Amino acid sequence: MGLLTFLFPSSTRAEDAYEAARQRDVVILDVRERHEWKAGHAPGSKNIPLSSLDKRTAELVLTRRYIAVCRSGSRSRRATVQLRRAGFDVVNLKGGMSSWKRARHPHEPRKRRNVGGPGARE
């Protein structure tokens, strides 16, 4: 792996990541901590925090394609470098979940609105 690839791993935009995930061409790998993932994540994403990625790479399939994501793109960039060194086909989601949400792509869980005000039934 060259120095430039190490410093600036391949990345993709939220629009392209969404389309690839929708077509099931890739797995979205969310490397944020579990509490961050629970607060909101791309549907169908797999959560393996960067802090435990070394110990959990066996959970990944070497023949699958992955898009690594975090909040802003920094941790997922490090995960991308680490996984590419291990032979995985992975790119970084540029801008992370922040860019995913700005593009208005679906995420779970969605905040529920109480339309009728306090005490209203659904």
Side-chain angles (χ1 to χ4, degrees):
M1 178 181 298
L3 180 59
L4 285 178
T5 303
F6 174 75
L7 293 174
F8 305 102
S10 296
S11 62
T12 190
R13 300 174 316 128
E15 294 77 15
D16 298 328
Y18 171 71
E19 188 57 33
R22 194 176 71 76
Q23 297 292 328
R24 297 191 175 154
D25 292 336
V26 299
V27 174
I28 303 288
L29 177 62
D30 195 318
V31 297
R32 296 175 298 161
E33 295 299 318
R34 187 72 174 170
H35 69 277
E36 294 175 281
W37 183 83
K38 284 182 175 181
H41 56 273
S45 62
K46 181 169 184 64
N47 178 232
I48 300 179
L50 180 62
S51 60
S52 60
L53 189 58
D54 277 342
K55 300 173 199 132
R56 296 181 58 191
T57 53
E59 295 176 33
L60 303 175
V61 178
L62 199 55
T63 57
R64 291 298 316 257
R65 295 176 59 218
Y66 295 91
I67 296 176
V69 62
C70 64
R71 183 182 58 82
S72 65
S74 181
R75 286 175 283 178
S76 55
R77 182 171 40 96
R78 290 194 305 254
T80 299
V81 169
Q82 181 178 335
L83 291 171
R84 291 181 112 203
R85 282 185 184 158
F88 289 93
D89 182 3
V90 59
V91 295
N92 181 38
L93 177 58
K94 188 175 183 177
M97 281 303 292
S98 295
S99 68
W100 183 274
K101 289 178 182 177
R102 271 193 312 275
R104 299 189 178 272
H105 295 313
H107 60 281
E108 300 171 342
R110 292 176 184 248
K111 294 192 182 210
R112 297 180 71 161
R113 291 182 16 200
N114 191 348
V115 178
R121 293 185 178 182
E122 292 185 21

